[in-house]
Amino acid sequence: MSLRGKTAIVGIGQTPYYKRGTAPDPEQKLALRAIVAACEDAGIDPRDIDGFVSYGSERNTGQQMLPALGLRDLRFAALAWTHGGGIPGALTIAAAAIVSGQAEIVVVHRAMAEGSNQRLQVAVTQDETPAQFLVNGVDFILARSAQRAMRLIHEGVPQECFEAIARAGYFHAQNNPGAMGHGHMLTLEAYAASRWIGEPLHLYDCSRESDAAAAVVLVSAERARDLRQKPAYLLSAPMGAGASQGSREDNHEPYTSVGMIGLADRLWRESGYGPSDVDVAQVYENFTPMAAMALIDHGFCTRESAGDVLTFDNLIAPAGKLPINTSGGNIADGFIHGMGLLPEAVRQIRGTSTNQVPGARLSLMTGGPGDSLTSTALLGSDETL
Amino acid sequence: MSQTPRIRGGIGADGPYWDALERGVFQLPRCAGCGAWMWPAHYRCGDCGSWDMEWVPLDPIGTLYTWTRMHQAPVLVRERIEDVPYVTLLAEIPAAGGKRVVGALHGSEDGLAIGVPIRGVFLPPSPKTKGYATLGWEIVR
Ligand SMILES: [Zn+2]
C-alpha cells in the first residue's frame, strides 16, 4: 500500500535563528515555541496533538513536552533511526501512523540550542567515530565530505557548481529577513577569497550550526481539506541506503554517490513524477558538494552535465530551471540539523515563500547526504494528487 | 595491545589491524569463506555469511584515491592543531581488491594528486594518533 497523497503538512512553525550558543531560551522552550506556532498556523489546538516524530539526536521528546502542551491523549512517538538523513523519513513515519490509525495529528520537530545540549558535530559523531578516523586526524563528517568533494571534482564536476549552490543560498537570503545571511550578499570574489575549511571546501561551502527549532504538523488528507492552510500533500518520502553503504565506510560504490540513487528511483516511482517535473527543491547542504551529489543521485544532472546544469542562474528563484534552497538553506538561512528546509518546502506549495517560484506545485526536500541511511520527500499541491 | 579497541564507537572488529601496526605489519582482513576483502573489518561476511576472517599481511603500497588538506583540527582530535594544515587521504590498496584505507599524508606534498602511487610508513604511537601505532602515507617519487 502506498502512502501517496494520504497525508499532508498543514502547519509550520519556527523560532528565529540564533548564532549557536546564543539562544535566549533553552532548547526545550524553543521546541515548544515552534510546535505551538505550527499548531496556530494550522488552526489546531496543541492539546489535540497525539503523535511526535523526530530524527537524529533530538532530545525533546513528546513525553517530556506533554505537560507544557496540555496533551490529552498522546498515542504515538518515534524517531527516524539516522541523523539529518531522517527528516523526510520522519514524515513517512508520521504518515504511516496516521494512515494506520495510530494517531491523527502528528508533529515532526527538531530543536537545537548548544547552551543546553552540546555541539551538533560532537553529538552526531561520538558514537560513529572508529579509530581509523580519529588516529588519522580525519573529522568524521567534514574531512570525509571534503575527500568526497575532491574526488567529485576529479570525476568532472567543477568547483563552480559548489560556488553556485552557496551563492544561490545567499542570494535567496537577501529576500528573507529571518535568514542569518540576510544583508550579506555572497559575491564570486568573496567566495573565492574565503578561507579553506578542508579543501576543496571554502568557508561558504559549509552549513552553519544555529540555535533554533522548527516543527510541522501532519494530518490525513481528508482532515487537511477542512483546515485553514493550503495542504502540502506528502506524495512520497522513502528512506533507504545504498547496498554497499555503511555509516563508517569509505568503500561504497560509486564513492561520490550519497546513497540516494535507489531512493530517488523509489521517490519517482511512488509519486509518479520525475526530476523534470520538480518546480523547486530544498537540498540539504551540510556541504555544497554533498548537495551536488544528491542532485546527481536524483537524476537532475550527471557528473558530465553538472557544470552546465548547476549554475547560479539555474538555481535561483523565480526564473531558474531548478531553484534550490529558496529560504537561504542550511548555509544562508540557518541550520537546525536541516529541519529549516522543510517549512520552506511547504511555503513553496502554499505560494508564501519570500523567493516564491511562481505556480510551484511539486516541491522536493532531500535529507542529509552525509548519512548512509537517508531519505527524500516530494510534496505536492492538490492538483498533483 | 588488547583486541578491544581503545577508542569507543568503532565497529570493534579491527583490533588485529592496530595490533599488527605495532609490530610493523600492515594487514587487512579477508573472508575465510569466500575470499572477499573487507575494510573496515566486520564481524561477519555479508556476502557469504562466514564468521571467520583471515588477516593477510600486505606490502603497504597503494594509490591515492582522494585527499583533503584540512585547515582546522577536528573537535575530537585537538592534538592535531599544530599540524594544520595537514592532508588526510584514502589509500586504495590494489592487493586487497581495491579496498580504500583511511590515512594521513606523511612527508612532502610534492606531487600530491589523485592517482599517484603512495607507500605506507610505520609510525609509532603518539598523542596525535590517540596512542595508536599508525601507517603514514608518503608519495612515491
Ligand atoms: Zn565471505
Side-chain angles (χ1 to χ4, degrees), chain A residues 119 121-122 125-140 142-144 146-152 154-155 195-201 248-256, chain B residues 5 7-11 14 18 39-40 42 64-78 80 85-86 88-90 98-104 114-115 128-130 132 134-135:
Chain A
R119 190 155 185 200
Q121 59 173 251
V122 175
T125 59
Q126 62 187 358
D127 293 327
E128 295 260 33
T129 309
Q132 60 164 340
F133 300 121
L134 289 182
V135 305
N136 289 302
V138 172
D139 183 280
F140 182 71
L142 167 63
R144 292 173 72 227
Q147 288 176 173
R148 262 160 129 176
M150 193 68 85
R151 184 77 192 183
L152 189 68
H154 178 75
E155 291 174 356
R195 65 186 167 92
W196 293 116
I197 300 297
E199 295 172 50
L201 304 177
R248 296 171 286 204
E249 315 272 322
D250 291 298
N251 277 285
H252 59 277
E253 298 294 348
Y255 171 67
T256 53
Chain B
I7 292 174
R8 275 186 61 245
I11 295 166
D14 57 354
W18 304 108
W39 190 254
H42 293 288
L64 182 58
Y65 186 77
T66 190
W67 60 277
T68 179
R69 189 180 289 110
M70 289 289 291
H71 290 257
Q72 61 183 47
V75 173
L76 299 177
V77 197
R78 283 303 182 209
R80 293 263 176 182
Y86 62 92
T88 66
L89 53 83
L90 288 179
K99 285 295 171 190
R100 302 186 282 260
V101 175
V102 179
I114 288 174
K128 283 175 195 174
T129 62
K130 305 282 186 187
Y132 282 61
T134 61
L135 206 54

Side-chain angles (χ1 to χ4, degrees), chain A residues 11 33 42-43 53 78 91 111 119 142 167 208 238 255 306 312 341 348:
Chain A
R33 285 201 182 282
V53 183
L91 298 177
R119 190 155 185 200
L142 167 63
R167 285 178 60 223
R208 296 157 184 270
Y255 171 67
F312 178 71
L341 299 172
Q348 286 289 352

Side-chain angles (χ1 to χ4, degrees), chain B residues 30-38 44-53:
Chain B
R30 187 168 58 183
C31 172
C34 72
W37 291 94
M38 62 180 71
R44 179 177 177 275
C45 175
D47 289 336
C48 77
S50 170
W51 296 87
D52 298 320
M53 308 302 145

